[in-house]
């Protein structure tokens, strides 16, 4: 084997944060990975994606393109911790049309099994296209020659196509964090061909589950008559790969938080405040209609009503993060959940001891980890979910080796977390039985299943996910 050139650091000296490729990396996502501090500075925002990618960009001096989160914010490029940040301005009207409208009221429901009727409006589409073009032009202007550009999620599906036209030298990848729907649903979208063409500007398109990749390949074939073989589509004289890259969490970080003395103290406090029940059931979600929060509340209520669970010994804690509050479907969902919580508490609580504890709040990550540890049974029951990181965080937090995860088959996490109690949440009776099974599970089986879950998540954390995607993207770009 050749000796490495003297200027190259020895592999053993490489920082674990170093990216797996030598070329410059540019990330594009709807939001920049930073938020404003009280003293008008910037700090990295919380969230798994940022935790996975930011240290890597910091190490390699990379770049991130995105919106600051404030309307009409045309901030100049700036640098935080050695990462170059390029804001893309989005106007207040565009936030309504591109973000709340096309992204979250057309694409989001359609991509989640059409759980709600999508709104298809030409004004929204025009705004989506305009913002996507703006992102692509920013990227075309700043991406170094031959660099690797990694674009994230459903808000930016047209970016690869426009960018490819402007900068054929770039290697372009895209990761879809949510499901890619079956062709029968996808073809409802009036601009389905434009979206597929946009994604075909990539060298590699990544999905959470094999079904997402297969649906995308099938849509490209049906709509554009593109040739395909296994996991590749051939279009416009180029090969576009469709790969599967299930996202994960920062396992070490959650484990370290869960092990801290403060967390352990917090866990005892939480259980005491809940009235030291035998079983604490937990739900943690963005308040989204895809997450099946109402469904699990109804299942809990039915179990109390039928006497299969005793309200004196079983409590539920539901934490719901405020999200997309300007979109009507989200306002309706919140009203329905709060009505259910009120109804269940009215019927089954006693004074000072509500049977459902409901928080409509965003909690700090360490408080969330303490809650995970305090939860005996975690209920993750989405109708459809790209992955669901809560399921993985719960397993990572249970360093005590105990706790049961009830998990919907319709979450991407179900492919890997096969030691959960898997359930079809559309089946009322099955969901009720799954909850009872989790509550009554023998300690030996609980520990065995939790060991399986923890082994699985430790095999693939979010840093590994980012490395695998970038290595595959680099290879795809070199090949084509
Ligand atoms: P989300 O739909 O947001 O993500 P999820 O994967 O569960 O869903 O991630 C939610 C994150 O928010 C978790 O990391 C969790 O800790 C945090 N969170 C939830 N409730 C919270 C609360 N009350 N306070 C503070 N934090 C809270 C989309 C897709 C998913 C996919 C991810 C990542 O819809 O399917 O797993 O992207 O690809």
């Amino acid at each position: 084997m050749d000796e490495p050139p003297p200027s190259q650091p020895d592999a053993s000296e490489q920082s674990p944060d170093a990216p797996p490729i030598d070329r410059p990396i540019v990330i594009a996502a709807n939001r920049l990975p930073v938020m404003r501090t009280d003293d008008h500075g910037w700090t990295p925002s919380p969230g798994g994606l940022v935790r996975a990618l930011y240290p890597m960009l910091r190490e390699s001096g990379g770049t991130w393109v995105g919106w600051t989160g404030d309307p009409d914010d045309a901030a100049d490029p700036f640098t935080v911790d050695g990462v170059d940040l390029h804001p893309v301005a989005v106007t207040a009207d565009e936030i309504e049309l591109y973000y709340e409208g096309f992204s979250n009221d057309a694409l989001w429901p359609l991509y989640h099994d059409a759980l709600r009727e999508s709104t298809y409006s030409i004004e929204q589409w025009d705004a989506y296209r305009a913002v996507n073009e703006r992102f692509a032009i920013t990227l075309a202007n700043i991406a170094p020659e031959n660099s690797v550009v990694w674009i994230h999620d459903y808000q930016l599906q047209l970016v690869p196509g426009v960018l490819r036209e402007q900068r054929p030298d770039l290697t372009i990848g895209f990761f879809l964090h949510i499901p890619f729907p079956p062709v029968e649903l996808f073809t409802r979208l009036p601009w389905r061909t434009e979206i597929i063409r946009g994604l075909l500007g990539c060298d590699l398109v990544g999905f959470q589950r094999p079904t997402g990749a297969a649906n995308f390949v099938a849509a490209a074939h049906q709509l554009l008559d593109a040739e395909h073989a296994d996991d590749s589509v051939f279009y416009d004289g180029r090969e576009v790969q469709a790969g599967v890259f299930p996202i994960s969490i920062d396992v070490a970080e959650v484990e370290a938080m869960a092990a801290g003395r403060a967390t352990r103290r917090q866990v005892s406090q939480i259980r005491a405040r809940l009235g030291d029940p035998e079983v604490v059931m937990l739900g943690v979600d963005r308040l989204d209609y895809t997450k099946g929060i109402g469904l699990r509340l109804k299942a809990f209520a039915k179990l109390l009503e039928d006497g299969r669970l005793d309200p004196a010994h079983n409590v539920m804690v539901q934490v719901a993060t405020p999200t997309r509050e300007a979109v009507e479907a989200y306002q309706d969902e919140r009203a329905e959940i709060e009505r259910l919580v009120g109804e269940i508490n009215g019927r089954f609580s006693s004074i000072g001891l509500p049977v459902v504890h409901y928080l409509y709040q965003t909690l700090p990550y360490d408080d969330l980890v303490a809650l995970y540890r305090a939860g005996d049974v975690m209920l993750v029951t989405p109708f459809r979910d790209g992955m669901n990181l809560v399921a993985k965080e719960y397993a990572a937090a249970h360093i005590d080796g105990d706790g049961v995860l009830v998990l919907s088959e319709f979450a991407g996490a179900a492919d890997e977390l096969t030691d959960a109690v898997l359930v079809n949440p559309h089946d009322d009776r099955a969901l009720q039985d799954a909850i009872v099974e989790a509550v009554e599970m023998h300690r030996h089986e609980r520990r065995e299943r939790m060991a399986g879950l923890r082994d699985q998540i430790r095999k693939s954390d979010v840093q590994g996910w980012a490395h695998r995607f970038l290595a595959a993207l680099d290879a795809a770009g070199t090949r084509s």
Side-chain angles (χ1 to χ4, degrees):
M1 235 166 85
D2 290 342
E3 290 279 326
S7 58
Q8 292 278 316
D10 184 86
S12 59
E13 287 168 20
Q14 282 230 332
S15 150
D17 293 334
I21 60 175
D22 290 334
R23 295 195 275 161
I25 300 170
V26 181
I27 305 281
N30 177 49
R31 290 292 293 271
L32 282 173
V34 291
M35 52 191 201
R36 282 205 167 84
T37 56
D38 291 342
D39 55 357
H40 306 291
W42 297 92
T43 183
S45 12
L49 187 65
V50 176
R51 271 194 294 275
L53 299 177
Y54 206 77
M56 214 161 65
L57 293 186
R58 201 164 45 206
E59 191 74 20
S60 63
T63 306
W64 192 306
V65 170
W67 174 43
T68 60
D70 289 325
D72 297 310
D73 194 357
D76 287 331
F78 57 104
T79 301
V80 176
D81 292 345
V83 180
D84 291 330
L85 301 166
H86 286 261
V88 175
V90 182
T91 68
D93 278 351
E94 284 169 342
I95 292 165
E96 199 183 316
L97 297 168
Y98 142 79
Y99 181 69
E100 287 157 7
F102 198 76
S103 298
N104 288 328
D105 210 19
L107 295 175
W108 180 269
L110 181 68
Y111 282 31
H112 288 90
D113 289 356
L115 281 169
R116 293 284 183 283
E117 204 61 49
S118 287
T119 306
Y120 299 121
S121 117
I122 188 78
E123 287 79 20
Q124 290 180 359
W125 164 251
D126 285 343
Y128 183 84
R129 210 178 42 197
V131 173
N132 272 249
E133 278 168 7
R134 199 171 307 142
F135 267 81
I137 287 161
T138 307
L139 285 163
N141 287 337
I142 57 122
E145 180 87 17
N146 287 318
S147 55
V148 164
V149 178
W150 185 4
I151 300 154
H152 288 263
D153 228 358
Y154 61 104
Q155 302 93 349
L156 302 179
Q157 294 172 101
L158 300 177
V159 174
V162 181
L163 186 58
R164 170 71 56 197
E165 275 172 24
Q166 311 244 334
R167 292 286 306 273
D169 60 298
L170 300 175
T171 294
I172 305 174
F174 181 95
F175 184 76
L176 185 67
H177 290 255
I178 66 174
F180 193 91
V183 185
E184 302 82 65
L185 287 181
F186 182 70
T187 47
R188 290 184 185 183
L189 185 64
W191 304 280
R192 57 205 185 178
T193 315
E194 287 87 336
I195 295 279
I196 288 290
R197 264 208 204 98
L199 291 172
L200 288 173
C202 290
D203 296 286
L204 172 68
V205 188
F207 299 88
Q208 303 270 29
R209 301 184 93 164
T211 41
N215 289 343
F216 166 71
V217 171
H221 176 63
Q222 182 169 319
L223 292 167
L224 293 170
D225 207 18
E227 290 291 319
H228 61 101
D230 301 330
D231 52 0
S232 287
V233 177
F234 301 91
Y235 182 69
D236 216 10
R238 291 184 312 107
E239 176 176 354
V240 182
Q241 284 182 27
V244 182
F245 301 86
I247 198 170
S248 190
I249 56 164
D250 188 337
V251 177
E253 183 192 31
V254 176
E255 286 187 343
M257 273 185 190
R261 199 176 302 157
T263 309
R264 276 181 284 152
R265 215 176 21 241
Q266 230 180 323
V267 172
S268 323
Q269 279 168 358
I270 292 169
R271 293 196 70 105
R273 284 205 210 132
L274 294 172
D276 279 320
E278 276 170 29
V279 178
V280 175
M281 272 174 254
L282 186 60
V284 171
D285 316 76
R286 275 189 311 99
L287 201 157
D288 195 295
Y289 53 80
T290 58
K291 303 286 183 185
I293 302 172
L295 203 76
R296 87 181 65 123
L297 285 167
K298 283 184 197 153
F300 184 51
K302 184 77 169 87
L303 292 169
L304 295 173
E305 185 182 296
D306 291 351
R308 294 178 77 193
L309 290 182
D310 181 347
H313 302 303
N314 298 276
V315 301
M316 184 185 283
V317 177
Q318 175 64 55
V319 188
T321 315
T323 181
R324 306 175 193 169
E325 289 174 293
V327 180
E328 201 181 319
Y330 288 75
Q331 296 162 3
D332 294 347
E333 182 67 10
R334 179 181 172 193
E336 169 63 4
I337 286 166
E338 295 185 351
R339 189 192 65 73
L340 279 168
V341 170
E343 186 182 305
I344 299 169
N345 276 336
R347 270 187 82 184
F348 300 106
S349 299
S350 45
I351 287 179
L353 289 174
V355 71
V356 180
H357 296 253
Y358 166 73
L359 304 182
Y360 182 63
Q361 290 165 28
T362 301
L363 298 183
Y365 206 49
D366 45 357
D367 287 356
L368 213 55
V369 171
L371 256 183
Y372 288 142
R373 276 214 61 183
D376 301 299
V377 173
M378 178 89 221
L379 302 173
V380 177
T381 58
F383 290 108
R384 179 61 74 188
D385 213 332
M387 176 54 59
N388 196 291
L389 297 179
V390 166
K392 294 188 173 183
E393 289 165 353
Y394 177 73
H398 269 269
I399 50 174
D400 59 352
D402 208 342
V404 186
L405 173 65
V406 174
L407 177 62
S408 161
E409 294 163 8
F410 295 88
D415 286 347
E416 299 165 278
L417 302 183
T418 49
D419 281 302
V421 176
L422 294 175
V423 66
N424 170 6
H426 298 272
D427 182 341
D428 295 350
R429 186 70 198 190
L431 181 55
Q432 291 156 29
D433 290 348
I435 294 174
V436 172
E437 182 188 341
V439 166
E440 292 178 350
M441 191 177 285
H442 191 274
R443 184 166 183 272
H444 179 71
E445 185 180 350
R446 292 201 307 258
R447 298 191 72 83
E448 218 165 70
R449 283 179 182 254
M450 183 50 80
L453 294 174
R454 291 179 50 74
D455 278 352
Q456 177 58 43
I457 55 161
R458 286 177 134 186
K459 275 196 279 196
S460 59
D461 62 6
V462 73
Q463 290 82 1
W465 166 81
H467 278 222
R468 272 192 303 281
F469 186 91
L470 282 168
L473 178 56
D474 189 39
T478 319
R479 221 172 58 175
S480 62

